[in-house]
Amino acid sequence: MEPDVSASSAQAGPLFARMAVIGLGLIGGSLARAARESGLVGQVLAADRSEDELARGVELGVIDGYGTMEEVVSGADLVVVAVPVRATREVLEQIRPFLGPDVVLTDVGSTKGSFVAVVNEVLGGWPPRVIPGHPIAGSEKNGVSAARGDLFADHKVILTPPEDVDADALSRLTSLWQGCGATVLTMSVARHDEVLAATSHLPHLIAFSLVDTLAGEDQNMEIFRYAAGGFRDFTRIAASDPVMWHDIFLSNREAVLRVIDHFNDDLAQLRQAIDAQDGDALLRVFSRARAARHHFSKMLSGQAYVTDMSQKPVRFRLQPGGSIAGDIRVPGDKSISHRSIMLGALADGVTEVEGFLEGEDSLATLQAFRDMGVTIEGPDNGHVRIRGVGMNGLQAPRGPLYLGNSGTAMRLFTGLLAAQPFDSELTGDASLSRRPMGRVADPLRAMGAVIETGEGGTPPLRIRGGQTLSGIHYDMPVASAQVKSCLLLAGLYAEGMTSVHEPAPTRDHTERMLEGFGYHVHRDAATASVNGGGKLTAGRIDVPADISSAAFFLVAASIAEGSDLTLRHVGMNPTRTGVINILKLMGADIEVSNEREIGGEPVADLRVRSATLHGIDIPEEQVPLAIDEFPVLFVAAACAEGRTVLRGAEELRVKESDRIQVMADGLKAVGVETTVTPDGIVIDGGQTIAGGTVDSHGDHRIAMSFAVASLRATGDIQVNDCANVATSFPGFVEMARQTGIRIDAQEEQ
Ligand code: S3P
């Protein structure tokens, strides 16, 4: 995170004229140094028990000078208590008579309840300028010589201000920490101590205890000698300062005891599972933990569910030319994968899913249901086992549900959660946070839901539970399967009948899967209706290969000379086959064989060979049936003879990116001119596709479309910001390379 120095640069002088640091150890010394280097403090003075440390502090340039506590505190407008927690009382008693009336007092200790208790006792209350602080940074080193000015850069600092905090004091202290490179969060004392007990104190306790246990075993030398990296990583924190940690545990006693009890119970259950040879129980816990670990790193990085914090953005490098050949099965259908988890979770019984898309979007959905207490095993090679909790069995999630890049997840969840007895909050990555949610929030409100959106109807969504929903009839203004599905899911819980009319056919996976789970959906021309109050019965779901992923290869093999490719087990639901209809109208050679129906969804094998494509006026009724395939269809249009015109596709502007503009910009970057219209685009085919650099704007389908364009390019193409390809098509690069696209994925530097 960028340090926010705006507050300080706007300010005439330094934030604080004199800062007094009591205790010049690692944290006090580092804050002194960082404050001096930031120029936000006029003078930094310190007091410490060790005169040697103070002298070293001056010598190393950490502080401007030092003195006794009385000397440094008198006249200071900021006092930082940076002594071990147990020494706080003594320090406060000593400095109390010398604290100026406007002084800001803070500390850096790891527990806040104990600090506030001492403040109350010694100062006779908690004054509005006493703002406890806790930088989440440190190292195993001690002393002023280890002080580093960058110790807090990109770290978090938690401030726990009193309710009647002095706003100016809080703002200056916040600016100082930000000037030292930190991100500042504020929370209550109780919350801080709970959070830290779980995330820091318990792990330290376990590390100390584990090393101690093993050190006491016979042959301990052997154990430590052969201990592998995992043991070393895991127990690194057992090298921390014992005195400091003894203080922390005693001062955060209650919160720590609570998490220890929780942990003990869970550990006892694992012990019991091992004793009873209950492999299923072990697998359940381990796979849930692994997924949670993975999920947290994504959530914290605020990115699509995709990249974890350590990962850099991905760039595709493409060499021009090539032809496409092979026999492939692309990953499972995204829409069906999402729905399989949702309905499976709400069903009675165990649902087995095969062919599940292990892409980041559907994994986000899977994790969200785990967060609501559903036990889900896998995914393991596309196999997922969901232990349904029944229509009323979901539990309140402990925090916001993070849905990564997935608009489908957010819109469908909103319908489902609007009817639950608990409150919930839905968040997502930067792209999802810009997408319109009013289209689901408005009709749900008409059913009685209480939903708060962010500015302009965007996420986050806060959904108030415990509402009674009533069925409505809704005439959708846009043809959206997400809106339709959202309302049908809410309708499962509503009183009476919920019916949705669509202005044009959209994908009907929800309706088909509900029927598959034994929940009748009445379908009458363009209207789908459900009666609330029924139940779902678990079953088996075979997820076909995603036609939206197959689309890249349908276009690739059509435009690249000498191509012949077979795609297996592709979902051929008539509400999804617009891409095949449009390509065929353009002259593509696509042969459909082995048509069959699996689990309520039609499936077929497709053989596609190169063909001379020609431009067409895309029939408007095909637009919703090919809504996700337009980026790659634009590439087909650029390679066709003559003009292709798309109209009635304004929805493309509110997908993961504005797909009309972003594609037009990308095509321009490789030398292809187009004309953008409010609801579509005009592309004159036959222009040379040159080399160039394209920005995908983090949109998976844009990135993959330009990988396809390289087949007909005359120079190298580079596509930036491609990590999100993993939202819908894990393994794309390998499959593209295997079939003949000259692609490499690299981390951007
Ligand atoms: C989807 C519906 C479509 C589509 C999206 C998946 C679904 O969105 O673009 O990728 O699974 O219901 P809209 O219904 O908003 O057009």
Side-chain angles (χ1 to χ4, degrees):
M1 186 118 348
E2 288 291 311
D4 176 3
V5 287
S6 51
S8 54
S9 51
Q11 157 106 30
L15 289 164
F16 295 98
R18 186 202 281 182
M19 165 168 150
V21 179
I22 315 294
L24 200 59
L26 172 76
I27 300 288
S30 297
L31 177 56
R33 170 164 258 165
R36 283 194 83 205
E37 287 170 1
S38 72
L40 297 174
V41 173
Q43 193 188 26
V44 181
L45 301 180
D48 192 277
R49 276 189 318 200
S50 157
E51 177 101 24
D52 287 352
E53 286 287 286
L54 290 167
R56 268 199 76 59
V58 173
E59 203 177 292
L60 293 169
V62 170
I63 48 174
D64 295 301
Y66 58 88
T68 62
M69 277 199 249
E70 171 181 344
E71 284 162 355
V72 299
V73 167
S74 305
D77 51 357
L78 173 63
V79 173
V80 181
V81 177
V83 297
V85 175
R86 70 180 183 289
T88 312
R89 175 187 300 277
E90 198 186 319
V91 166
L92 281 187
E93 278 168 353
Q94 283 194 41
I95 64 175
R96 188 173 67 112
F98 310 104
L99 293 170
D102 294 329
V103 68
V104 177
L105 176 69
T106 187
D107 78 321
V108 294
S110 308
T111 60
K112 304 281 47 119
S114 58
F115 179 74
V116 171
V118 173
V119 164
N120 270 308
E121 283 169 37
V122 177
L123 305 183
W126 184 3
R129 286 194 196 81
V130 174
I131 305 174
H134 177 201
I136 317 272
S139 79
E140 280 74 63
K141 300 201 186 105
N142 292 321
V144 70
S145 343
R148 282 175 22 215
D150 64 353
L151 188 69
F152 310 109
D154 297 325
H155 282 71
K156 292 195 169 53
V157 172
I158 300 175
L159 298 180
T160 60
E163 270 180 20
D164 61 345
V165 67
D166 178 302
D168 172 63
L170 179 60
S171 138
R172 285 189 296 144
L173 186 60
T174 302
S175 300
L176 176 62
W177 276 115
Q178 289 172 337
C180 298
T183 305
V184 178
L185 309 171
T186 55
M187 59 176 76
S188 72
V189 167
R191 173 101 184 114
H192 169 277
D193 287 356
E194 292 277 336
V195 168
L196 269 288
T199 57
S200 167
H201 307 170
L202 179 66
H204 276 82
L205 190 82
I206 296 171
F208 283 127
S209 166
L210 179 65
V211 174
D212 186 55
T213 304
L214 294 192
E217 298 270 317
D218 285 351
Q219 299 177 331
N220 55 18
M221 276 306 282
E222 292 300 283
I223 290 174
F224 287 107
R225 180 173 301 138
Y226 297 121
F231 175 80
R232 246 175 259 134
D233 289 349
F234 183 71
T235 55
R236 179 180 61 82
I237 49 183
S240 308
D241 181 357
V243 178
M244 180 177 96
W245 280 97
H246 136 278
D247 279 10
I248 290 173
F249 286 115
L250 297 183
S251 57
N252 198 21
R253 183 167 161 270
E254 269 147 41
V256 168
L257 287 180
R258 265 195 300 277
V259 289
I260 293 178
D261 289 347
H262 208 139
F263 179 72
N264 269 342
D265 291 347
D266 288 353
L267 194 62
Q269 277 180 24
L270 284 175
R271 188 192 181 287
Q272 160 71 23
I274 295 169
D275 188 23
Q277 308 225 350
D278 183 352
D280 280 356
L282 291 178
L283 271 177
R284 222 162 30 236
V285 174
F286 296 165
S287 46
R288 204 164 57 213
R290 186 175 75 156
R293 176 72 182 75
H294 189 62
H295 182 69
F296 291 142
S297 52
K298 314 233 170 254
M299 199 162 99
L300 291 172
S301 67
Q303 300 181 35
Y305 194 72
V306 198
T307 33
D308 68 33
M309 279 184 290
S310 56
Q311 267 179 326
K312 300 215 170 82
V314 176
R315 156 190 303 155
F316 288 169
R317 282 184 180 283
L318 297 136
Q319 287 171 13
S323 60
I324 299 293
D327 190 327
I328 57 173
R329 174 169 171 167
V330 298
D333 188 278
K334 186 147 76 92
S335 295
I336 299 177
S337 295
H338 278 301
R339 288 157 171 84
S340 69
I341 300 293
M342 295 178 188
L343 300 194
L346 296 176
D348 291 329
V350 176
T351 293
E352 304 274 351
V353 185
E354 293 297 340
F356 180 79
L357 170 66
E358 296 185 31
E360 305 288 349
D361 269 6
S362 33
L363 288 173
T365 289
L366 193 150
Q367 181 61 34
F369 276 95
R370 282 187 172 134
D371 291 346
M372 291 189 283
V374 182
T375 299
I376 304 175
E377 291 163 56
D380 180 11
N381 246 326
H383 183 181
V384 180
R385 181 178 295 130
I386 309 155
R387 297 182 186 271
V389 294
M391 293 299 286
N392 299 308
L394 294 180
Q395 291 163 21
R398 289 196 201 164
L401 297 171
Y402 181 71
L403 302 174
N405 194 244
S406 180
T408 305
M410 191 167 283
R411 297 201 175 109
L412 272 58
F413 270 77
T414 309
L416 226 163
L417 292 171
Q420 300 302 320
F422 49 80
D423 294 350
S424 50
E425 180 174 346
L426 302 176
T427 63
D429 72 353
S431 152
L432 183 53
S433 301
R434 286 191 294 267
R435 298 184 65 187
M437 295 297 150
R439 55 177 59 194
V440 289
D442 291 341
L444 285 171
R445 286 181 187 129
M447 294 176 76
V450 179
I451 300 170
E452 212 183 287
T453 65
E455 213 175 296
T458 54
L461 299 183
R462 293 196 182 83
I463 302 165
R464 178 105 49 83
Q467 313 300 318
T468 305
L469 303 187
S470 320
I472 55 165
H473 173 76
Y474 188 62
D475 256 316
M476 279 196 298
V478 287
S480 165
Q482 292 179 355
V483 175
K484 174 178 63 175
S485 304
C486 160
L487 298 180
L488 292 177
L489 290 177
L492 304 182
Y493 291 90
E495 284 175 358
M497 184 195 277
T498 301
S499 58
V500 188
H501 176 268
E502 51 189 8
T506 66
R507 66 193 68 191
D508 63 357
H509 305 302
T510 306
E511 297 90 306
R512 285 174 187 252
M513 203 182 285
L514 280 171
E515 287 284 356
F517 276 78
Y519 205 117
H520 177 59
V521 181
H522 184 73
R523 302 180 69 176
D524 183 6
T527 301
S529 329
V530 289
N531 268 312
K535 65 181 189 114
L536 300 165
T537 308
R540 243 190 81 85
I541 296 173
D542 189 326
V543 182
D546 197 331
I547 188 167
S548 298
S549 298
F552 299 102
F553 293 97
L554 293 176
V555 173
S558 298
I559 63 171
E561 221 173 284
S563 297
D564 185 348
L565 179 77
T566 300
L567 291 147
R568 302 276 174 197
H569 207 77
V570 180
M572 292 291 282
N573 182 313
T575 58
R576 295 287 298 281
T577 47
V579 63
I580 296 179
N581 305 338
I582 293 169
L583 282 173
K584 281 190 167 169
L585 287 173
M586 295 175 80
D589 177 0
I590 301 171
E591 212 178 282
V592 180
S593 64
N594 199 11
E595 289 179 79
R596 56 216 185 264
E597 187 163 305
I598 289 180
E601 290 279 351
V603 171
D605 297 336
L606 305 177
R607 180 172 180 194
V608 51
R609 281 171 281 198
S610 355
T612 305
L613 301 183
H614 51 83
I616 56 165
D617 268 12
I618 298 175
E620 275 194 44
E621 77 275 5
Q622 293 296 324
V623 170
L625 312 182
I627 192 70
D628 292 334
E629 288 67 72
F630 283 105
V632 78
L633 283 170
F634 293 177
V635 171
C639 298
E641 287 169 0
R643 172 170 287 194
T644 296
V645 182
L646 171 68
R647 292 187 199 86
E650 50 276 88
E651 271 297 292
L652 290 181
R653 294 197 180 270
V654 290
K655 292 292 175 189
E656 285 83 327
S657 69
D658 173 348
R659 285 185 172 157
I660 297 179
Q661 194 57 52
V662 171
M663 276 307 292
D665 294 345
L667 285 168
K668 192 179 168 78
V670 294
V672 176
E673 294 296 336
T674 61
T675 306
V676 165
T677 60
D679 67 341
I681 195 165
V682 179
I683 301 174
D684 284 317
Q687 304 175 55
T688 302
I689 302 180
T693 299
V694 172
D695 183 354
S696 80
H697 286 255
D699 185 326
H700 52 136
R701 301 203 195 277
I702 305 276
M704 291 185 276
S705 298
F706 282 97
V708 171
S710 70
L711 289 160
R712 287 279 288 268
T714 55
D716 288 357
I717 294 181
Q718 178 174 308
V719 190
N720 292 339
D721 204 0
C722 298
N724 283 355
V725 164
T727 59
S728 65
F729 201 149
F732 170 75
V733 171
E734 294 68 29
M735 195 170 269
R737 198 182 301 131
Q738 173 203 333
T739 52
I741 296 178
R742 297 167 180 166
I743 183 170
D744 265 312
Q746 298 178 337
E747 283 189 348
E748 287 178 27
Q749 291 312 310

